[in-house]
């Protein structure tokens, strides 16, 4: 039977709970255990799919087409275990499920309540789809004390009883702030937060204490005493120099050992962490550096492009170079050509990422043009590929080329797709239909042309990548675009949906309709990102 690790946070948010969960899972995995990480989000949206990237950061998409919290991206990058729909649930989804059942009369006249109905639904979610696993890590979003997270904490309390002794461990992540004026680390917020959690019936077995200064032994002992845990189970967690240094750092502080001990499992031999030391060696001892310009819309909040940021770093790991990312606001590229050139000239490669809406699109198209004309490596992802196709059409004389996403156009190079085949059968959508969960979502196969640039990058002609978009490049314009030098080198297996375009006459010019960044791992960089950064390295030697 799977053992459960419940992870809560206290004092403040943004302490790196997701990273802690991902790192602990990676450490348990390195010890030979099978793991899965789940995220419980207390907000009322059914999923983060309709939330602004500014509010919530990136929407992470799983193979099975779920739009999920970006923490699932960390989980996947650290463990290599592909996340699923069943790994992320929100209060909104739970209530939606319950209210749908209530309307059908499934509760047979009972009064529907938070306890037991909501808590039962949360428990069912935690226990669904866990066959054969050694450990299930459940991260509760938000901070203990939030009204919204109460049903989740209550569900954990019940579940810990249901599972029985030794079958679950509770980890609480808190902040130990440093008060400069007093020159001291303060343990009181941690004590209060643990008391609040304990009052809800969940006593933590392990405390992870984030601080900016090393935690002195005396403070560690004090936290242990007041919070009712062994001193060794108070794990200090200082800021790390890279997120990929976090697993080794937690191991050095004894996190995995203490968690196993809390389960009554003899920790045994230390895990082999070569994978992580190799990554850190490559990050800390680069043999060069490149600067990549990312021309996008949500550049004010780095979390909006979380996976993209990581995938570019992975490309650097693959080539042993430092990757400097310049987040460039697409709206700055709408004016004068000389000004655009001045901004883009320092870049060794240009990337136009995914996005929604018209704002900044002319700037994105101008950046594509700059990259094409100047032979600068170019990578277009999702909306970025669509912009590359529109740029090619305009270059070929179709000056009003556009996408129906931005309004009516007489040259719809990119258009709304209302019907396509998926592994679950024919998918159909209506114009003006619901926005939530109605895109082409999740993993779809693609066939690559045998002698294309991308087939040599992938070393394969059959690939599968994750999608999240509503519009598609219109194959009606394929011939026109190919005449202009843009080759459709990847298509859906039935040949109807363009998946990849490339320019064989350019040093590196690839547009993909999917999101390769979602599948890149630090220990297994995505081939497209590895190749793109390699092209940037070549470019850096030219300038
Ligand atoms: N807005 C575009 C579409 O829906 C692209 C989406 C994206 O880049 N993820 O097709």
């Amino acid at each position: 039977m799977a053992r459960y690790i419940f992870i809560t946070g206290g004092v403040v948010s943004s302490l790196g709970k997701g990273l802690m969960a991902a790192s602990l899972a990676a450490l348990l995995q390195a010890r030979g255990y099978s793991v899965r990480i789940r995220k419980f989000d207390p907000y009322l949206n059914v999923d983060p799919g309709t939330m602004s990237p500014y509010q919530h950061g990136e929407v992470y998409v799983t193979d099975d087409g779920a739009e999920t919290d970006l923490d699932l991206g960390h989980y996947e990058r650290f463990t290599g275990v592909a996340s699923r729909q069943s790994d992320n649930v929100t209060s909104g989804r739970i209530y939606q499920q319950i209210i749908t059942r209530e309307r059908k009369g499934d509760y047979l006249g009972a009064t529907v309540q938070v306890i037991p109905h909501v808590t039962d639904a949360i428990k069912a979610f935690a226990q669904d789809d866990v066959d054969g696993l050694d450990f299930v890590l459940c991260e509760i979003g938000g901070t203990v004390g939030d009204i919204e997270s109460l049903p989740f904490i209550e569900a954990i309390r019940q579940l810990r009883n249901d599972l029985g002794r030794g079958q679950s461990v509770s980890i609480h992540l808190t902040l130990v702030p440093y008060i400069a004026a007093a020159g001291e680390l303060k343990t009181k917020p941690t004590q209060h937060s643990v008391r609040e959690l304990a009052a809800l019936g969940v006593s933590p077995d392990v405390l992870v204490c984030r601080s900016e200064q090393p935690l002195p032994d005396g403070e560690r002992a004090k936290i242990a005493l007041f919070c009712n845990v062994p001193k060794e189970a108070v794990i200090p967690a200082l800021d790390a120099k890279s997120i990929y240094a976090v697993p080794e750092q937690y191991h050095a502080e004894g996190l995995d050992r203490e968690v196993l001990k809390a389960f009554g499992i003899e920790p045994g031999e230390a895990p082999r962490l070569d994978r992580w030391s190799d990554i850190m060696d490559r990050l800390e001892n680069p043999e060069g550096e490149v600067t990549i310009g990312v021309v996008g819309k949500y550049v004010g909040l780095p979390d909006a492009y979380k996976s993209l940021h990581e995938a570019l770093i992975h490309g650097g790991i693959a080539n042993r170079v430092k990757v400097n990312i310049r987040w460039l606001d697409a709206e700055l590229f709408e004016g004068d050509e000389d000004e655009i050139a001045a901004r883009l000239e320092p870049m060794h490669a240009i990337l136009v990422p995914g996005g929604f809406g018209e704002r900044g699109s002319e700037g994105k198209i101008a950046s594509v043009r700059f990259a094409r004309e100047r032979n600068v490596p170019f990578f277009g992802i999702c909306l970025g590929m669509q912009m590359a196709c529109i740029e090619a059409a305009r270059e070929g004389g179709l000056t009003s080329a556009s996408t129906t996403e931005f309004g009516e156009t007489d040259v719809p190079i990119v258009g709304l797709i209302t019907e396509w085949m998926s592994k679950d059968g024919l998918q159909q959508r209506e114009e003006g239909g619901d926005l939530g969960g109605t895109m082409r979502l999740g993993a779809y196969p693609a066939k690559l042309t045998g002698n294309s640039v991308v087939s040599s990058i992938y070393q394969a002609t059959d690939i599968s990548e994750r999608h999240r978009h509503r519009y598609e490049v219109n194959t009606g314009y394929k011939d026109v675009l190919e005449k202009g030098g843009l080759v459709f080198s990847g298509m859906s297996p039935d040949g109807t949906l363009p998946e990849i375009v490339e320019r064989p006459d350019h040093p590196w010019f690839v547009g993909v309709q999917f999101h390769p960044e979602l599948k890149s791992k630090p220990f297994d960089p995505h081939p497209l990102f590895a190749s793109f950064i390699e092209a940037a390295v070549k470019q850096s030697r030219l300038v």
Side-chain angles (χ1 to χ4, degrees):
M1 199 167 84
R3 292 180 166 91
Y4 280 79
I5 301 172
F6 298 107
I7 299 166
T8 51
V11 186
V12 290
S13 59
S14 306
L15 288 178
K17 232 183 322 156
L19 216 46
M20 196 273 277
S23 301
L24 174 60
L27 293 173
L28 292 170
Q29 209 182 30
R31 286 177 177 274
Y33 295 108
S34 59
V35 294
R36 196 151 206 105
I37 321 176
R38 302 215 141 139
K39 177 88 194 271
F40 298 69
D41 279 310
Y43 53 74
L44 288 177
N45 301 64
V46 171
D47 61 42
T50 54
M51 284 158 93
S52 156
Y54 279 124
Q55 286 263 327
H56 195 260
E58 160 188 276
V59 174
Y60 189 76
V61 181
T62 61
D63 276 336
D64 60 359
E67 297 177 279
T68 70
D69 186 79
L70 53 72
D71 272 335
L72 273 79
H74 282 314
Y75 304 164
E76 212 175 306
R77 281 188 284 278
F78 277 64
T79 63
V81 177
S83 313
R84 301 187 198 134
Q85 169 83 67
S86 55
D87 294 325
N88 189 200
V89 80
T90 66
S91 294
R93 184 178 296 280
I94 300 233
Y95 278 94
Q96 186 189 45
Q97 205 183 64
I98 290 174
I99 290 166
T100 310
R101 289 189 57 194
E102 187 274 335
R103 291 290 84 184
K104 278 202 206 143
D106 285 355
Y107 292 103
L108 307 174
T111 308
V112 184
Q113 295 179 297
V114 173
I115 306 172
H117 300 101
V118 172
T119 46
D120 278 354
I122 296 171
K123 290 196 288 180
F125 164 75
Q127 292 177 287
D128 178 35
D129 203 10
V130 296
D131 288 350
L133 288 173
D134 295 319
F135 291 102
V136 181
L137 290 83
C138 298
E139 179 193 343
I140 318 299
T143 308
V144 167
D146 297 346
I147 290 179
E148 290 178 338
S149 60
L150 283 174
F152 291 94
I153 309 285
E154 168 60 14
I156 294 178
R157 186 192 69 75
Q158 295 178 18
L159 194 52
R160 294 196 75 183
N161 280 331
D162 299 349
L163 292 166
R165 242 170 230 289
Q167 287 303 114
S168 76
V169 156
S170 152
I171 305 180
H172 191 55
L173 184 77
T174 74
L175 176 71
V176 181
Y178 179 73
I179 307 297
E184 276 177 29
L185 283 166
K186 292 291 179 191
T187 65
K188 195 67 43 99
T190 297
Q191 295 178 39
H192 282 303
S193 176
V194 169
R195 195 171 307 155
E196 185 144 19
L197 186 57
L200 298 171
V202 178
S203 292
D205 304 293
V206 175
L207 288 175
V208 176
C209 299
R210 296 277 285 114
S211 64
E212 285 170 13
Q213 303 275 336
L215 192 63
D217 211 49
E219 260 55 37
R220 200 173 173 189
K222 193 166 159 192
I223 294 174
L225 179 68
F226 282 100
C227 301
N228 205 22
V229 294
K231 190 172 138 201
E232 310 75 62
V234 177
I235 309 291
L238 282 170
D239 292 346
K241 43 188 182 255
S242 152
I243 58 170
Y244 300 121
V246 174
E248 284 184 299
Q249 200 164 313
Y250 272 129
H251 174 67
E253 297 291 0
L255 177 64
D256 46 325
R257 186 190 63 223
E258 290 306 315
V259 168
L260 290 174
K261 270 167 55 189
F263 275 111
I265 300 171
E266 181 47 52
E269 253 176 67
R272 291 195 61 123
L273 300 176
D274 313 10
R275 172 185 268 192
W276 300 102
S277 20
D278 178 48
I279 291 166
M280 284 314 296
D281 178 50
R282 286 165 175 268
L283 286 174
E284 291 189 309
N285 305 297
E287 286 164 4
E289 64 184 274
V290 292
T291 302
I292 311 295
V294 178
V295 183
K297 184 162 122 180
Y298 317 107
V299 290
L301 181 80
D303 266 3
Y305 298 111
K306 191 80 214 159
S307 295
L308 179 67
H309 175 270
E310 295 312 316
L312 286 166
I313 302 296
H314 303 163
I317 292 174
N319 291 281
R320 213 181 245 282
V321 291
K322 177 167 189 265
V323 177
N324 303 309
I325 305 173
R326 297 281 174 266
W327 302 101
L328 306 169
D329 182 350
E331 285 184 279
L332 298 176
F333 294 87
E334 294 190 336
D336 181 64
E337 269 193 35
D338 292 340
E339 210 180 293
I340 296 173
R343 286 182 198 275
L344 290 178
E345 267 159 12
M347 307 299 150
H348 301 129
I350 294 168
L351 190 150
V352 177
F356 293 84
E358 190 170 10
R359 190 158 58 79
S361 58
E362 289 305 322
K364 294 174 190 175
I365 293 170
S367 310
V368 177
R369 185 172 315 120
F370 176 90
R372 177 176 58 74
E373 289 178 348
R374 302 284 194 101
N375 282 330
V376 177
F378 170 81
F379 197 179
I381 294 180
C382 208
L383 185 67
M385 159 172 162
Q386 298 174 356
M387 295 298 107
C389 292
I390 291 171
E391 195 279 330
R394 290 189 186 173
E395 174 63 16
L398 300 170
T399 47
S400 57
S402 188
T403 161
T404 56
E405 180 177 1
F406 304 160
E408 259 180 55
T409 165
D410 52 350
V411 188
I413 295 293
V414 181
L416 182 68
I417 155 135
T418 49
E419 269 193 17
W420 68 90
M421 280 310 283
S422 80
K423 52 190 176 311
D424 305 319
L426 185 68
Q427 299 276 324
Q428 288 176 308
R429 301 286 188 264
E430 278 167 39
E431 263 179 77
D434 278 0
L435 286 184
T438 55
M439 285 186 261
R440 181 149 82 102
L441 285 168
Y444 280 84
K447 280 238 168 288
L448 312 187
T449 314
N451 53 1
S452 58
V453 173
V454 284
S455 67
S456 71
I457 293 174
Y458 274 98
Q459 299 277 309
T461 49
D462 289 288
I463 61 162
S464 168
E465 293 280 5
R466 296 183 195 167
H467 290 249
R468 181 173 186 252
H469 55 105
R470 199 166 272 118
Y471 300 84
E472 304 276 352
V473 173
N474 189 338
T475 45
Y477 291 96
K478 189 165 175 249
D479 292 346
V480 187
L481 294 178
E482 292 207 319
K483 255 187 225 130
L486 198 67
V487 172
F488 285 63
S489 53
M491 298 291 290
S492 58
D494 64 1
T496 57
L497 304 174
E499 296 279 7
I500 306 181
V501 294
E502 64 183 45
R503 287 188 178 275
D505 62 348
H506 186 283
W508 207 98
F509 190 107
V510 175
V512 296
Q513 187 56 75
F514 44 81
H515 290 275
E517 70 274 23
L518 300 176
K519 293 208 336 190
S520 189
K521 323 256 176 342
F523 43 80
D524 184 17
H526 192 287
L528 284 172
F529 282 91
S531 174
F532 177 57
I533 296 297
E534 188 188 346
V537 173
K538 284 189 194 139
Q539 179 73 9
S540 73
R541 298 207 176 109
L542 295 178
V543 290

